[in-house]
């Protein structure tokens, strides 16, 4: 899924890549928590560097394990295993790697 600036996240997304060379983006969460401040998010670093060529994403194969839904919007834990990207085992995931459905991408060309 590719989301462009000012578009709404259509579903919960694991943040793998952005137009920002450092792998950051900003989201507005007012539809979820009423806050209008932009919140920074960070892509999974290993994936951001690997997927410079967006066509590589189409052939990705791996496993994602994560905790069940909870009421804390900032809490998220999981692991991502993609042998072609990271051969040293599972990559830990945190809340900063998750883009929640209903948030709006801001000040970033795409994720």
């Amino acid at each position: 899924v590719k989301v462009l600036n000012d578009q709404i996240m259509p579903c919960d997304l694991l943040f793998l890549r952005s137009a920002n060379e450092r792998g950051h983006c900003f989201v507005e969460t007012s539809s979820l928590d009423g806050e209008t401040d932009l919140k920074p998010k960070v892509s999974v670093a290993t994936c951001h560097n690997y997927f410079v060529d967006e066509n590589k994403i189409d052939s990705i194969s791996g496993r994602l394990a994560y905790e069940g839904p909870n009421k804390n919007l900032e809490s998220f834990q999981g692991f991502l295993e993609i042998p072609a990207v990271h051969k040293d085992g599972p990559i830990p995931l945190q809340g900063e790697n998750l883009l929640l459905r209903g948030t709006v991408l801001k000040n970033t060309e795409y994720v």
Side-chain angles (χ1 to χ4, degrees):
V1 174
K2 186 174 188 176
V3 179
L4 304 177
N5 190 50
D6 291 327
Q7 288 185 331
I8 297 171
M9 302 296 163
C11 56
D12 292 344
L13 298 170
L14 184 59
F15 184 16
L16 300 178
R17 175 95 182 121
S18 84
N20 181 304
E21 65 185 39
R22 291 187 177 161
H24 295 102
C25 77
F26 295 93
V27 294
E28 180 184 283
T29 61
S30 60
S31 66
L32 302 180
D33 60 12
E35 293 184 23
T36 57
D37 293 340
L38 298 182
K39 293 185 177 60
K41 295 291 185 170
V42 181
S43 65
V44 178
T46 307
C47 294
H48 178 76
N49 296 329
Y50 183 80
F51 293 121
V52 172
D53 176 0
E54 291 181 29
N55 294 321
K56 286 185 176 182
I57 292 176
D58 293 338
S59 61
I60 191 173
S61 177
R63 186 172 85 88
L64 175 63
Y66 53 90
E67 67 182 347
N70 62 62
K71 293 182 181 187
N72 185 343
L73 297 178
E74 300 299 319
S75 174
F76 175 76
Q77 292 183 359
F79 292 95
L80 178 63
E81 292 181 274
I82 306 175
V85 175
H86 192 262
K87 295 177 179 29
D88 296 331
I91 303 165
L93 304 173
Q94 300 174 13
E96 66 184 7
N97 307 126
L98 185 64
L99 303 172
L100 295 174
R101 180 181 65 129
T103 60
V104 180
L105 183 66
K106 294 289 186 181
N107 301 334
T108 308
E109 185 181 344
Y110 69 83
V111 294

